Amino acid sequence: MNKKIAIYGGTFSPPHVGHLHAASAFLRQESPDMLYVIPANIPPHKKIISRDNPQLRLRMTELAFSTLEGYGDSIVVSDFELRQGGPSYSIYTIEHFAKESPNLSMLCGTDMMLSLDTWYRAEDIFRLADIVYIRREKEVGMTEKLIEKCRFYREKYNARIRHIDVEPLVVSSEQLRARLSAGEDCSAFIPEPVLDFIRQNNLYGYKRIDDR
Ligand code: ATP
């Protein structure tokens, strides 16, 4: 029997409780043999901060996911996209992991799910991976938009799409970068070892209380 594996890509700048919430809800619902969490080297669909350092994002992602307990060895932070270098087009990652097992899913949030058809080689992404998405916004009307988009993906790409039915946890890295640079408390949203790392490396314009 083929192993059931999954990938969860992102920028993770910084990783936050929304990412952990998504991964643990995914693990509970889907019970894969392995979930690979994969920080992008250069994310093609996102603006990145000017002094971005993929190695530091990888380290923060490792620290963040090390705080998730109860999933044994079924979750691994992978440096695959960093080792590839250049812009991290998901299809290359999917092709790589599909060789490990054709029973492959990709976890993403609604923002990514809604834009998947604009991604490089979208038809191959849908062919090689099941898409499992999790809500991250509370906006009214979002559901209709999502249902419509899923219908479109199924019709156009024969997509296999599943939804993780949990309460959304509304938080984003962008908000947290702003809060960190303003010196606000982020301990409810960023795991403690990641916050320590941010402080030690003075990331995101983090201000020490006594510097202000
Ligand atoms: P930014 O605010 O910089 O755009 P982000 O918070 O969206 O970053 P990413 O690292 O880009 O974080 O996200 C990686 C993946 O995790 C994406 O599929 C995204 O949709 C998903 N994700 C991010 N935040 C949440 C959340 N709060 N709940 C569920 N999924 C999330």
Side-chain angles (χ1 to χ4, degrees):
M1 253 272 280
N2 286 317
K3 274 201 304 180
K4 182 174 179 178
I5 63 173
I7 60 171
Y8 183 32
T11 313
F12 302 111
S13 182
H16 53 66
V17 290
H19 296 128
L20 300 181
H21 169 70
S24 52
F26 176 84
L27 289 163
R28 284 195 304 275
Q29 173 172 307
E30 298 278 316
S31 309
D33 294 300
M34 189 66 85
L35 172 64
Y36 294 100
V37 181
I38 313 174
N41 186 51
I42 301 174
H45 293 93
K46 286 225 176 180
K47 48 179 186 338
I48 47 174
I49 56 162
S50 49
R51 283 178 302 142
D52 179 60
N53 182 330
Q55 290 293 346
L56 296 180
R57 288 191 283 100
L58 174 68
R59 186 68 197 123
M60 286 191 283
T61 309
E62 287 167 349
L63 290 168
F65 282 88
S66 71
T67 65
L68 261 193
E69 285 173 2
Y71 298 104
D73 296 334
S74 59
I75 185 155
V76 164
V77 175
S78 161
D79 65 355
F80 174 77
E81 292 190 348
L82 266 67
R83 280 190 281 114
Q84 297 303 296
S88 309
Y89 292 100
S90 297
I91 184 59
Y92 297 136
T93 307
I94 288 171
E95 283 175 332
H96 172 81
F97 284 94
K99 282 188 216 133
E100 182 175 323
S101 171
N103 189 352
L104 175 66
S105 314
M106 180 172 83
L107 168 63
C108 62
T110 34
D111 54 329
M112 293 293 147
M113 193 284 238
L114 286 168
S115 71
L116 272 176
D117 50 334
T118 67
W119 290 21
Y120 178 54
R121 293 178 49 200
E123 65 282 9
D124 292 325
I125 295 179
F126 286 114
R127 182 173 54 80
L128 290 173
D130 295 11
I131 306 300
V132 182
Y133 73 93
I134 179 164
R135 294 280 301 275
R136 58 176 298 190
E137 307 84 1
K138 283 211 192 287
E139 284 96 335
V140 181
M142 198 61 192
T143 304
E144 201 36 57
K145 200 158 119 192
L146 285 168
I147 293 170
E148 189 45 51
K149 200 78 193 196
C150 287
R151 190 179 300 132
F152 169 71
Y153 289 161
R154 285 186 182 114
E155 279 168 14
K156 180 160 182 195
Y157 301 104
N158 229 345
R160 302 169 302 281
I161 308 181
R162 295 187 291 283
H163 170 229
I164 303 180
D165 194 14
V166 286
E167 267 297 296
L169 208 168
V170 184
V171 55
S172 74
S173 297
E174 187 174 21
Q175 285 165 7
L176 295 172
R177 289 193 295 275
R179 291 184 68 132
L180 286 164
S181 75
E184 289 171 27
D185 177 23
C186 292
S187 55
F189 307 104
I190 302 179
E192 192 55 39
V194 179
L195 260 185
D196 286 343
F197 187 85
I198 290 172
R199 287 183 196 118
Q200 282 154 17
N201 292 280
N202 289 310
L203 305 180
Y204 307 113
Y206 172 81
K207 293 189 188 65
R208 276 173 236 260
I209 304 291
D210 43 327
D211 289 348
R212 276 186 272 158

